[in-house]
Every structure is written in C-alpha cells, then in structure tokens.
Amino acid sequence: QVQLVESGGGLVQPGGSLRLSCAASGSGFSINDMGWYRQAPGKQRELVATITSGGSTNYADSVKGRFTISRDNAKNTVFLQMNSLKPEDTAVYYCNVVYRRFGSTSRELWGQGTQVTVSS
C-alpha cells in the first residue's frame, strides 16, 4: 500500500514564504514523476510544478521564479518552496505522484491537500 502525506500549509502574509512537503510511504515501489497542483474555490485544479525522476523541472508561468520544486529520492519526498507569496496563490495544494509497484503497472496517487492562505 502506497500513501501520500502532505504538510507545510498555513497562513502567511504577502511576500512571505512557505515550504510544502509530500512523503510517499510504503515499500515495493519506485517513483517516476512528482508534482504539485492547486485549486482555489470555484476554480479548476491547475498544475503548479513537476519534477521527473531525473530531476527535470517544469513550472507554471504564474509561479516561475518564485517557487522551487525538489525531491529527495532516498526518502520518497517532494518539496515545494514558495517565496514571494501573493494573495492569488491562496488555494489547496495537492501532491501528485506517478509510481510503479514492482512487477506491476504505473499508478497515479494524490495527496490529501494542504491549505495555503496568503493574506494580511
């Protein structure tokens, strides 16, 4: 059984920073791509950033230069460092992982979501 646990959300003032973490637990699997998505009330879920097993990254234009995605393969964990936060960054942030159970096919898994609120 593979599960994702997200942490690091909270309330921060404009211009502040937060660091989100998403850890995959279990055994007998390997992770391919990892990413972060976000969803604001009344809006569709949108891609924020992705990172491949080889370390290649991709960012939405709205966060490029402010957010940094990284991963610790030994701990099966993906991070999202968010700097210079703006009120429009307010959303529930979801971790997404594409993994393969040894001897099986690829699967996709979503985290439970963590609230990020940017407000004075």
Side-chain angles (χ1 to χ4, degrees):
Q1 190 85 31
V2 180
Q3 292 183 310
L4 302 180
V5 178
E6 298 183 30
S7 62
L11 174 64
V12 65
Q13 293 184 345
S17 298
L18 284 174
R19 184 176 176 87
L20 306 183
S21 299
C22 176
S25 62
S27 61
F29 69 94
S30 62
I31 296 176
N32 293 110
D33 299 334
M34 308 181 80
W36 290 95
Y37 292 71
R38 67 186 182 186
Q39 187 169 23
K43 304 290 186 179
Q44 290 189 349
R45 187 173 298 186
E46 64 176 353
L47 184 146
V48 177
T50 60
I51 184 168
T52 69
S53 60
S56 297
T57 59
N58 186 48
Y59 298 92
D61 288 341
S62 59
V63 306
K64 195 170 185 178
R66 300 187 298 119
F67 291 10
T68 302
I69 188 171
S70 61
R71 62 192 290 170
D72 185 337
N73 291 330
K75 297 182 178 181
N76 290 325
T77 302
V78 62
F79 305 94
L80 185 67
Q81 179 67 46
M82 303 183 293
N83 299 326
S84 301
L85 283 163
K86 305 174 180 179
E88 49 263 45
D89 295 319
T90 296
V92 177
Y93 284 70
Y94 296 92
C95 175
N96 176 263
V97 174
V98 176
Y99 72 98
R100 180 181 63 83
R101 284 182 254 104
F102 297 144
S104 187
T105 57
S106 295
R107 301 288 184 182
E108 186 179 53
L109 195 63
W110 290 91
Q112 82 279 8
T114 184
Q115 177 71 49
V116 172
T117 303
V118 185
S119 176
S120 298

